[in-house]
Amino acid sequence: MNYKQSLLIAALLGAITVAIGAFGAHALRPGLEAAGRLDTFETGVKYQMYHTLAIFLTGLLQIQRPHKLLNRASLFFLLGILIFSGSLYTLSLSGITKLGAFAPIGGVLLIVGWICLAFSIAKLPDSAN
């Protein structure tokens, strides 16, 4: 993803994350508590927001220093959110525990995003100061 796509996706994901969190905290809370899945749902929301911010910050870095690893970092963060948080939301709402097996795949994608980000930062030139 280029910087504009990263920033746009982060902005939209930010709004979606707040909406999902609010919906879970209010409308879904009784059902999630009864099923013992509130913590699982909240973990999905937290990781979605953390990585939405990571996409946003990666987009800002892309403005200064476009690099294919930054593009990949944003993409891995997005895929990780979809699979990690998505599987936790689905598990929380459906009770199908087998869906939890997808969360580690999303987690690995998030880790790969951070590694791409780290390598892209390592390639930045040292400051002249």
Side-chain angles (χ1 to χ4, degrees):
M1 291 189 287
N2 64 37
Y3 79 91
K4 189 172 182 179
Q5 291 167 325
S6 293
L7 294 172
L8 180 59
I9 287 170
L12 294 172
L13 277 173
I16 291 167
T17 305
V18 172
I20 289 171
F23 189 64
H26 299 289
L28 299 177
R29 183 179 210 99
L32 291 170
E33 285 177 337
R37 300 275 187 226
L38 182 61
D39 287 344
T40 302
F41 189 87
E42 288 177 347
T43 297
V45 173
K46 286 180 206 171
Y47 273 73
Q48 182 171 337
M49 184 55 84
Y50 298 152
H51 291 89
T52 294
L53 294 172
I55 293 170
F56 185 78
L57 293 172
T58 301
L60 293 178
L61 282 173
Q62 288 170 300
I63 293 171
Q64 290 292 335
R65 294 277 186 202
H67 196 279
K68 65 182 178 181
L69 284 173
L70 289 172
N71 297 347
R72 290 180 184 159
S74 289
L75 182 59
F76 282 119
F77 288 144
L78 176 60
L79 293 173
I81 288 170
L82 293 174
I83 295 172
F84 181 82
S85 293
S87 69
L88 293 184
Y89 298 146
T90 306
L91 165 66
S92 298
L93 297 172
S94 72
I96 301 170
T97 57
K98 290 182 181 183
L99 294 172
F102 290 100
I105 296 167
V108 168
L109 292 170
L110 295 172
I111 292 167
V112 171
W114 286 108
I115 291 169
C116 287
L117 181 58
F119 278 113
S120 69
I121 290 169
K123 292 181 175 285
L124 291 173
D126 290 334
S127 176
N129 298 334

